Amino acid sequence: MTPPLAIGVDLGGTNARAAVVDPGSGEIVSAHKEPLRDRAPAKVVEVVARAVRHAASAAGVEVAAAGAVGVGVAGQCLGATGVVLNAPNLGWRDVAFGELLSAALGVPVKVANDLAVAAWGEKRFGAAKGLEEVALVFVGSGVGSGLIVGGRLHNGATGVAGEFGHVKVRPARATTAPRRCGCGQVGCLEAYTSGMNVAARVREEIAAGAETALRRLSADDPARITASLVDEAARAADPYAQALWAEVSELLGTAIANLVTLLNPARVILGGGVLLGCPALSGLVRSHFDVQVSRSATRGLTIEHAWLGDDAGVVGAAVLE
């Protein structure tokens, strides 16, 4: 008997992507993406609802046939309540998004962190399939993780487990002032290692007079500074880029090592444009990881890239339990 279709949404800071998914195979039957031009919650609800209806229409199904819609949000979510506690890229604090979207669509809505649902997608259909203990780590515009513990998605007591990007890596009383994170706190891993924050830091330091080949590579256009451009400069032996990557890679490699030491997963799944798209940085991260991780936690450990890529979020959201 063919299983009913399911609907998932990947809600980021710039786009909302909805997909109709076959929950038996993880195959995406149809998908639709909408840009976010206004991040006010009511406007985002309109955009997400429109994306969901377009995807459902393309698949020839009614939204109600899915029974529920799952949403992965780039933010901290309060358990099964549907409340988004803190979504820096959307500028949200304490938004009852699940309730608002449910009213717009007329079906129940399940809301979870975007990397938690990506981990669940990989568990059901990707690199974590068949494994009971897995840590997924993505480094892209932001930094985060999703945890599979005992074969289940681990959300913690109030739903905010796995906020890897907000572990603190710089003390508040450091010699130089710690960088402020989009979450509002200072010293977070994400503030130092995400693609968005790396680019912002490089722009600041170039404006302050830093000498680097990145000036030439970006044609003196700050908007062209990206993590991948820093990686290119580092591979070309630019001292500034190499020093920055030495710092960033140590922070990331040590943090991932600590995660493995703490959780003892069978597999670490890596993803995100910064980790997968910056080969010089990735090699340095792995070197620091190998040095810092507890040897006993690496027995049988495998490290894989995410298999589902950008589809992990919508697929995982569609099959949220």
Side-chain angles (χ1 to χ4, degrees):
M1 184 175 179
T2 303
L5 297 178
I7 299 176
V9 177
D10 184 5
L11 177 59
T14 56
N15 296 287
R17 181 181 180 224
V20 176
V21 175
D22 181 333
S25 67
E27 177 187 0
I28 293 178
V29 179
S30 66
H32 184 80
K33 181 186 285 188
E34 291 268 349
L36 300 179
R37 295 188 173 88
D38 186 334
R39 291 170 179 78
K43 293 297 184 180
V44 173
V45 166
E46 291 177 9
V47 170
V48 172
R50 186 164 59 245
V52 167
R53 293 188 182 108
H54 274 293
S57 176
V61 299
E62 297 291 330
V63 175
V69 171
V71 184
V73 179
Q76 300 170 7
C77 303
L78 185 59
T81 66
V83 173
V84 179
L85 294 172
N86 189 344
N89 291 338
L90 293 167
W92 288 1
R93 297 290 189 277
D94 299 312
V95 173
F97 182 69
E99 180 180 329
L100 294 171
L101 184 59
S102 179
L105 291 174
V107 297
V109 171
K110 303 174 183 178
V111 179
N113 172 266
D114 60 341
L115 290 183
V117 301
W120 190 240
E122 293 286 347
K123 165 63 177 167
R124 289 288 304 273
F125 306 110
K129 188 173 182 179
L131 299 175
E132 299 291 295
E133 310 289 334
V134 178
L136 174 143
V137 174
F138 271 45
V139 182
S141 57
V143 177
S145 70
L147 308 176
I148 303 296
V149 177
R152 308 290 298 174
L153 186 61
H154 180 67
N155 293 313
T158 59
V160 295
E163 287 293 340
F164 183 63
H166 302 293
V167 298
K168 302 300 180 283
V169 296
R170 286 287 188 265
R173 296 183 181 179
T175 305
T176 56
R179 297 186 67 83
R180 186 166 296 278
C181 183
C183 74
Q185 295 186 297
V186 295
C188 296
L189 180 66
E190 182 172 302
Y192 290 89
T193 63
S194 76
M196 186 164 54
N197 284 304
V198 163
R201 175 178 173 180
V202 172
R203 292 183 193 114
E204 292 169 12
E205 293 179 348
I206 287 178
E211 290 298 326
T212 169
L214 286 162
R215 292 179 182 271
R216 174 180 53 79
L217 292 172
S218 66
D220 279 324
D221 181 359
R224 296 179 63 182
I225 298 292
T226 62
S228 61
L229 202 65
V230 176
D231 202 73
E232 180 182 340
R235 284 181 275 124
D238 176 57
Y240 171 86
Q242 288 181 326
L244 178 59
W245 260 194
E247 176 186 345
V248 170
S249 64
E250 183 174 18
L251 292 173
L252 278 174
T254 301
I256 297 170
N258 287 340
L259 186 67
V260 169
T261 298
L262 180 66
L263 295 178
N264 186 209
R267 176 165 292 170
V268 172
I269 299 173
L270 301 176
V274 173
L275 267 184
L276 302 188
C278 296
L281 177 66
S282 296
L284 291 168
V285 169
R286 181 59 189 264
S287 294
H288 285 295
F289 171 86
D290 289 341
V291 169
Q292 300 294 345
V293 70
S294 168
R295 296 291 177 270
S296 58
T298 61
R299 288 176 178 264
L301 176 72
T302 56
I303 299 177
E304 288 271 358
H305 289 172
W307 291 0
L308 301 185
D310 291 340
D311 291 339
V314 289
V315 170
V319 295
L320 268 178
E321 296 178 352

